[in-house]
Every structure is written in C-alpha cells, then in structure tokens.
C-alpha cells in the first residue's frame, strides 16, 4: 500500500525538505501541499490523503482548528485522514488542544528522517504516536490547564472498565507500548492488544492518544505522577 501524505506548513522550505525525505520511500507519496489551515482542509477534501502532516502555527486558520475541521468533516465517512501534528518545544502549550481536536499524535520538527517516516507509517496503519518522553513532559507541564475537562468527562465513565483494563489504561497513559505493558503485567502481547481494544471501545475513543488525554482528564493519572 502506498501512503498518501498531505504536507501542511506555512514555510515552503520545510515542506520541500519533508517532501524530499518522504518521496525517497517506496511506500510513501506526497499528494499535495498547503500553506495554511483553510487550504489544508480544502486539499484534504479534494485529495483524500491517508496522513496529514500538520504544522500548528500558521496564518489564518491554524493547525489546531484545521485538524478539528478535517477530523469532524471526515467523521463517519469512508475515508478519514489521520492528522500528525508537528511542533517545536516553544509551542508545547498547543499540543493538548491539538490532541483534543483529533490529532493522532505529534512530532517535533527536528525529528530524524527515519523516525518521521516510521511515524507516518504507524499513523497510516491506524495506530497513534505517543512519544513517551514528549508526552510526559507536555502533560506534566500543562496538565494544570485541564480542570475544565473534569466538568465534561466524569470519572464514572471509567466504571465500564474492569480492574485489569483500568491498569492497562494507566500504563497507556505512561506512554508504554504494548510490548512494555505485556512485560509489566507478565502477559502476552496479544492479551494486551485485546485489553487495549476493549478500553478504546468501551470508552468510545479513537486511539491511544485520546486514551492518554482521558486518563489525565478523569484524574486516573495526574501531572507529576509519571517518574
């Protein structure tokens, strides 16, 4: 399968650099580019990319709003693009909002080329990118901004989960992979995949990224709790 990618960044030089990296891969093709969020929405609708590589800070419609529009517009349709957000450390405060908007993960703009390509493959396959080191820093730093979400999502929602599923959700929120969770719980990776699937289904979540945010919003895990 060839992964169709839409590049969204207001800096043409960066878009060119990403294009060169991605088009060197046999299984990736860049189907279009956009320099702002409105163009990204239009291009996504017209080109039906598998993955949208989305910058955050852009003129006019920013990357967060563009992500929200793209995900909402495609919701329920036969083709739903996955949005992978790009950021820099000085824009950390926007990431939680980007995840809430429907992004399937995020990368730093200085990500090594091989990690960029692998992240796109992971997201295109339907999974999410939750980089433990960055996720922990972001949620520990900005978790204090989440109290309003407690009014929108009640802890009672977690009553749908078994004790083992709650445990798995806590480990997901710590940024652990399925293999790491399996080792922690001394079970098979297949069993972990089943638990993860049950967690997402019972809570109505799209992917692991939403699970991480929900774990913080419901108080299941708190900023500073991750070593």
């Amino acid at each position: 399968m060839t992964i169709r990618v839409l590049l969204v960044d207001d800096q043409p030089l960066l878009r060119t650099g990403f294009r060169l990296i991605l088009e060197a891969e046999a299984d990736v093709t860049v189907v279009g580019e956009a320099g702002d969020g409105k163009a990204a929405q239009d291009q996504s609708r017209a080109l039906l990319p598998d993955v949208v590589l989305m910058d955050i800070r852009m003129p006019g419609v920013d990357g967060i709003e563009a992500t929200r529009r793209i995900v909402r517009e495609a919701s329920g349709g036969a083709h739903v693009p996955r949005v992978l957000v790009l950021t820099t450390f000085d824009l950390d405060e926007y990431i939680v909002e980007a995840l809430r908007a429907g992004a399937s993960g995020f990368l730093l703009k200085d990500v090594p080329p091989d990690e960029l390509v692998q992240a796109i493959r992971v997201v295109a396959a339907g999974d999410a990118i939750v980089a433990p080191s960055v996720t922990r820093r972001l949620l520990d730093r900005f978790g204090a901004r989440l109290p309003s979400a407690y009014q929108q999502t009640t802890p009672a929602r977690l009553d749908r989960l078994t004790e083992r599923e709650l445990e798995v959700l806590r480990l997901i929120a710590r940024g652990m992979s399925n293999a790491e969770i399996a080792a922690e719980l001394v079970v098979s990776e297949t069993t972990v995949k089943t638990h993860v699937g049950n967690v997402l289904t019972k809570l109505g979540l799209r992917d692991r990224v939403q699970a991480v945010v929900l774990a913080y919003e419901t108080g299941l895990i708190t900023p500073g709790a991750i070593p």
Side-chain angles (χ1 to χ4, degrees):
M1 183 189 78
T2 299
I3 302 170
R4 297 164 54 83
V5 178
L6 173 63
L7 302 177
V8 184
D9 197 294
D10 63 336
Q11 299 183 47
L13 189 59
L14 278 178
R15 295 202 305 269
T16 299
F18 288 134
R19 178 183 282 273
L20 289 173
I21 291 170
L22 297 180
E23 292 197 332
E25 302 296 322
D27 61 338
V28 179
T29 183
V30 176
V31 296
E33 299 181 16
D36 60 69
K38 178 59 170 62
Q41 183 184 9
D42 294 340
Q43 291 277 58
S44 179
R45 185 187 305 119
L47 299 173
L48 300 179
D50 299 305
V51 176
V52 179
L53 201 58
M54 179 78 73
D55 187 22
I56 289 184
R57 180 170 287 182
M58 296 181 290
V61 177
D62 65 18
I64 294 174
E65 179 58 26
T67 296
R68 185 177 293 111
R69 292 182 183 182
I70 289 171
V71 172
R72 183 176 59 221
E73 186 175 88
S75 180
H79 183 85
V80 181
R82 309 281 289 183
V83 180
L84 190 55
V85 172
L86 294 167
T87 185
T88 53
F89 277 126
D90 61 323
L91 295 179
D92 279 352
E93 65 268 27
Y94 294 98
I95 292 300
V96 171
E97 291 306 315
L99 298 180
R100 285 176 176 162
S104 292
F106 56 89
L107 297 173
L108 300 180
K109 280 192 173 181
D110 60 356
V111 62
D114 58 332
E115 291 185 20
L116 170 64
V117 174
Q118 181 58 25
I120 287 174
R121 289 177 179 140
V122 169
V123 167
D127 209 335
I129 294 297
V130 185
S133 60
V134 182
T135 301
R136 292 172 190 177
R137 170 181 171 172
L138 290 174
L139 293 179
D140 283 355
R141 179 175 175 184
F142 298 106
R145 299 189 179 189
L146 298 177
S148 61
Y150 284 89
Q151 301 166 8
Q152 302 169 9
T153 308
T154 61
R157 183 177 181 184
L158 301 181
D159 289 343
R160 307 170 191 174
L161 304 182
T162 65
E163 284 301 318
R164 177 46 62 96
E165 288 165 353
L166 277 172
E167 192 172 11
V168 168
L169 178 55
R170 289 190 185 94
L171 297 178
I172 291 173
R174 288 171 54 188
M176 297 176 71
S177 67
N178 284 352
E180 291 170 332
I181 294 174
E184 176 78 12
L185 300 181
V186 196
V187 296
S188 71
E189 193 168 343
T190 299
T191 298
V192 172
K193 289 180 180 178
T194 299
H195 287 316
V196 172
N198 289 340
V199 168
L200 299 182
T201 299
K202 288 183 178 181
L203 299 180
L205 303 175
R206 187 186 64 252
D207 52 40
R208 298 169 76 98
V209 171
Q210 290 190 338
V212 171
V213 175
L214 179 67
Y216 274 77
E217 290 181 339
T218 58
L220 182 65
I221 191 167
T222 58
I226 298 176

